[in-house]
Amino acid sequence: MSEQTKTDYSNEFIVPEAIQALQPYRAGKPINEVARDHGLNPEAIIKLASNENPLGFSPKVTQALVDYLSHNAASHQGRYPDPNGFELKGVLSEYYGVAPDGLTLGNGSNELLEIISLAFLSPGCSAVYSAHSFMVYRLSTQARGARGIEVPAKDLGLDLDAMFEAIEPTTRVVYVANPNNPTGTFLQAQAIESFVQRVYERYGKGVLVVLDEAYTEYLEPSLRPNSLSLIEAYPNVVVLRTFSKAYGLAGLRVGFAAADPQVTDYLNRVRQPFNVNQLAQLAATVALKDEGFLQQSYESNREGKQYLSQAFERMGIPYMPSFTNFILFEQPRAAEVAQALLAKGVIVRPVAGDGLPNHLRVSIGTASENEAFVTALSEVLQAMGLAD
Ligand SMILES: *Cc1c(COP(=O)(O)O)cnc(C)c1O
């Protein structure tokens, strides 16, 4: 029998250093939490903090979900979802012209970022990403015990030349958010393709380039890059898309990765078999086909963007011209302003954790939400003596 006893241990949880150093992802505050904290009616709260579609999702999705829940034979209910997402991959394949063996479904593209880091990163490896970019790149890299190489941004956007130069022999993945969150900047398709080409010519399949395109549907049609078409020539490219933003399915959780079949095979090895639930698969299948709703969401966002941009100009508040459904604006005493807005029932996103302590990010809402935000912001700035 072992001589060791419990007292030989420090009686502390033993956690890898990389995990101890993790700062958890700070999501936009949920409506119910703000209602509880500030004694407000949840119905009156305006959440402009997580870049969700303010129109919700397509009524056709609602109908499909209701039909599924009310008519589906009992023999189907209670079953695990299709582990291979056959139908959803089928419609994606047809819509985007990518073979199903190049598609991986995820519980949001967030999970796909995790899956990529599980498959391609380990201690001793590194990943390259930009400062002021999507925080999950850093978190998922760190959680694998791999090293993150954060490259300074250029005018709050991605500096692709510097990112290329930052690649080291240990680097296995480069993360490119385009458009970028939380700054709203965008790089033209041509710049992305020449970056991908440079990386492939120098490093071949040794370095993956992950093109995270969560906001692509909000781009003007003439700007929308056809990144999926890059995969054939550049097998090191992984394209991530999500149903959480323009399609409005953030609450259902579904996204996909398009990649070379070999990369897809590796992703599939570490993916949980039932990672995308049945309702999410169904919802995405229906959402993809409702182009009218997508168009309506695009138009509504375009109008809201114009309205908010003009309001910032009128108030003399510097902001980043946006290619997305949110706007980053400058605000000295950002934390206090965000707090004062919360007390008025308006939730915006502080971005100090993204290295931007003097900015706030506001998601573009419906016309009435945008107006309420502008009114609340000008009242707050008046009260704090910060108005122009
Ligand atoms: C919102 C977002 C995602 C993913 O959202 P999911 O809901 O997990 O699909 C991924 N990347 C960026 C840059 C985002 O802003």
Side-chain angles (χ1 to χ4, degrees), residues 4 38 42 51 77 109 178 224 232 278 292 313 325 340 351:
Q4 280 191 337
H38 296 271
N51 306 340
Q77 285 175 354
S109 50
N178 195 43
R224 265 171 233 169
E232 213 169 293
Q278 196 63 57
E313 268 156 41
N325 67 338
V351 284

Side-chain angles (χ1 to χ4, degrees), residues 139-153:
L139 294 175
S140 57
T141 299
Q142 211 175 323
R144 292 294 293 141
R147 192 164 50 90
I149 300 174
E150 189 176 286
V151 178

Side-chain angles (χ1 to χ4, degrees), residues 306-386:
Q306 195 172 17
Y307 170 82
L308 288 177
S309 305
Q310 283 168 356
F312 286 132
E313 268 156 41
R314 213 172 44 242
M315 291 191 278
I317 297 173
Y319 67 97
M320 290 297 289
S322 169
F323 289 85
T324 60
N325 67 338
F326 59 83
I327 302 182
L328 184 81
F329 61 100
E330 233 174 276
Q331 207 46 249
R333 294 165 69 189
E336 281 169 84
V337 170
Q339 199 56 38
L341 285 171
L342 277 185
K344 289 180 177 290
V346 176
I347 317 174
V348 298
R349 182 65 155 272
V351 284
D354 302 291
L356 297 165
N358 296 317
H359 285 81
L360 291 170
R361 192 193 71 190
V362 63
S363 305
I364 296 164
T366 60
S368 67
E369 288 172 335
N370 296 334
E371 283 165 29
F373 158 74
V374 170
T375 304
L377 180 63
S378 53
E379 284 170 5
V380 163
L381 296 182
Q382 285 285 339
M384 288 172 66
L386 291 174

Side-chain angles (χ1 to χ4, degrees), residues 15-38:
V15 175
E17 247 171 70
I19 306 294
Q20 289 184 38
L22 274 179
Q23 297 281 336
Y25 182 84
R26 274 201 219 123
K29 273 187 191 282
I31 288 175
N32 286 335
E33 186 181 318
V34 175
R36 280 195 303 275
D37 290 355
H38 296 271

Side-chain angles (χ1 to χ4, degrees), residues 25 82 166-167 188 242 249-250 280 314 354:
Y25 182 84
D82 177 356
I167 296 173
Q188 302 271 353
T242 180
L249 300 181
R314 213 172 44 242
D354 302 291

Side-chain angles (χ1 to χ4, degrees), residues 244-319:
S244 294
K245 305 285 159 59
Y247 289 100
L249 300 181
L252 282 149
R253 316 298 304 127
V254 52
F256 70 94
D260 180 83
Q262 225 182 327
V263 172
T264 305
D265 177 40
Y266 284 118
L267 300 183
N268 211 37
R269 294 181 195 199
V270 296
R271 177 182 68 82
Q272 288 181 42
F274 305 111
N275 61 332
V276 182
N277 73 72
Q278 196 63 57
L279 296 176
Q281 289 188 33
L282 172 63
T285 304
V286 176
L288 191 68
K289 294 176 191 157
D290 191 348
E291 292 185 355
F293 178 79
L294 199 65
Q295 184 61 23
Q296 191 191 342
S297 302
Y298 168 80
E299 297 289 348
S300 156
N301 185 66
R302 197 178 48 135
E303 285 160 23
K305 190 188 302 179
Q306 195 172 17
Y307 170 82
L308 288 177
S309 305
Q310 283 168 356
F312 286 132
E313 268 156 41
R314 213 172 44 242
M315 291 191 278
I317 297 173
Y319 67 97

Side-chain angles (χ1 to χ4, degrees), residues 104-184:
T104 309
L105 303 181
N107 189 30
S109 50
N110 228 297
E111 192 205 15
L112 291 160
L113 290 166
E114 293 282 332
I115 289 173
I116 290 166
S117 67
L118 262 177
F120 286 90
L121 296 177
S122 58
C125 295
S126 63
V128 168
Y129 45 80
S130 175
H132 319 313
S133 194
F134 195 45
M135 204 186 295
V136 175
Y137 310 147
R138 177 169 84 217
L139 294 175
S140 57
T141 299
Q142 211 175 323
R144 292 294 293 141
R147 192 164 50 90
I149 300 174
E150 189 176 286
V151 178
K154 191 166 75 183
D155 303 326
L156 292 185
L158 272 54
D159 184 345
L160 291 181
D161 289 336
M163 289 176 76
F164 181 77
E165 296 304 330
I167 296 173
E168 295 182 5
T170 57
T171 302
R172 299 285 169 268
V173 186
V174 179
Y175 293 102
V176 175
N178 195 43
N180 187 42
N181 176 15
T183 61

